[in-house]
Amino acid sequence: MNDLLDLFRKSGALLDGHFRLTSGLHSTGYLQCALVLQHPEHAEALARAIGERVADLKATVVLSPALGGIVIGHEVARALGVRAVFAERQDGALTLRRGFALDPGEKVIVVEDVVTTGGSTRETMNVAREAGAIVVGACAIVDRSGAKQGLDVPFHALLPMDVKTYQPDDCPLCKQGIPVVKPGSRAAK
Ligand SMILES: [Zn+2]
C-alpha cells in the first residue's frame, strides 16, 4: 500500500497542498489517476495487483466506463487473461458501442480508476445487466467513497483514500492564509 502511494506521488498523480477543485470545493489533496496510468509499467503493476484480488470471481470479460476506466480495464483484462470492453456516453446514457457486446450469462467485472460515490460503477453494472450478463464484482484503483459505495456485488480497491474537501468559506487552509491553487497549474507542482 505504501509502495502504491509512492507510485502515485512520484507520478504527480497524488498531490498534497491546498487545491480548488472543479466543483469549487477546496481540498487538501489532489488525485489524478491518469498521471500514474500514463506510465504503462505502472498501469500494468496496478492491474496485476487488482487482478490478484479479483481472480477468484472468475470474470470472463472486463467492462469499464470511458474514459477513466479504459486504460486500467485493459490492463486488468490482460492480468486476468480475458477481453476488455468499455461503455461510453451517447446522448447522456452509458452504452456499449463499436460492436462491443456481452453474451447473456457472461461473467462481467466492472473496472474503474476511481470510485467516488459509486454512481458510475452502478451505471456501468446496469449496462452489463441490461445485456443479460452477470456482474460478478467491481474494482477500482482508488476508493474515495469511504467504503460507502454501496454496491450489491463484491468490491475491491487497491487504495482507500480520504481526501478532505471544504466549502471555500469554511476552509481551514484559507484561514491559515495558504494560497489556493488549481490542480494542474504550475504552482501545484
Ligand atoms: Zn481553501
Side-chain angles (χ1 to χ4, degrees):
M1 167 110 119
N2 285 333
D3 290 353
L4 283 180
L5 276 174
D6 273 357
L7 210 58
F8 272 78
R9 289 190 200 283
K10 269 190 261 166
S11 324
L14 179 63
L15 303 172
D16 298 311
H18 181 197
F19 302 100
R20 185 188 301 112
L21 306 178
T22 45
S23 60
L25 296 175
H26 289 195
S27 84
T28 58
Y30 174 68
L31 174 77
Q32 179 47 270
C33 270
L35 291 177
V36 69
L37 295 174
Q38 72 180 318
H39 304 286
E41 72 274 23
H42 294 350
E44 188 183 13
L46 291 168
R48 215 181 299 122
I50 291 174
E52 283 167 13
R53 295 184 187 209
V54 303
D56 56 5
L57 297 173
K58 307 252 186 285
T60 55
V61 59
V62 164
L63 175 64
S64 297
L67 280 162
I70 294 180
V71 170
I72 189 65
H74 187 267
E75 291 296 327
V76 169
R78 187 204 304 275
L80 294 176
V82 301
R83 72 187 207 283
V85 298
F86 57 85
E88 57 201 300
R89 292 208 181 273
Q90 187 172 32
D91 302 326
L94 213 52
T95 178
L96 290 174
R97 302 179 65 185
R98 302 169 196 272
F100 287 151
L102 298 169
D103 294 327
E106 196 166 17
K107 292 181 171 179
V108 173
I109 185 156
V110 170
V111 180
E112 289 214 67
D113 56 350
V114 183
V115 167
T116 307
T117 61
S120 111
T121 310
R122 264 188 293 276
E123 210 180 335
T124 310
M125 287 167 56
N126 285 341
V127 169
R129 286 171 175 167
E130 277 164 19
I134 299 162
V135 180
V136 294
C139 54
I141 305 170
V142 177
D143 177 14
R144 299 188 59 179
S145 74
K148 292 191 193 81
Q149 73 286 336
L151 303 175
D152 60 1
V153 295
F155 174 75
H156 295 273
L158 290 181
L159 265 181
M161 197 175 285
D162 183 21
V163 177
K164 293 201 172 7
T165 55
Y166 304 99
Q167 294 294 338
D169 56 5
D170 192 34
C171 172
L173 299 171
C174 282
K175 280 175 190 148
Q176 291 168 45
I178 298 166
V180 64
V181 295
K182 206 170 133 242
S185 66
R186 294 179 69 81
K189 296 260 158 64

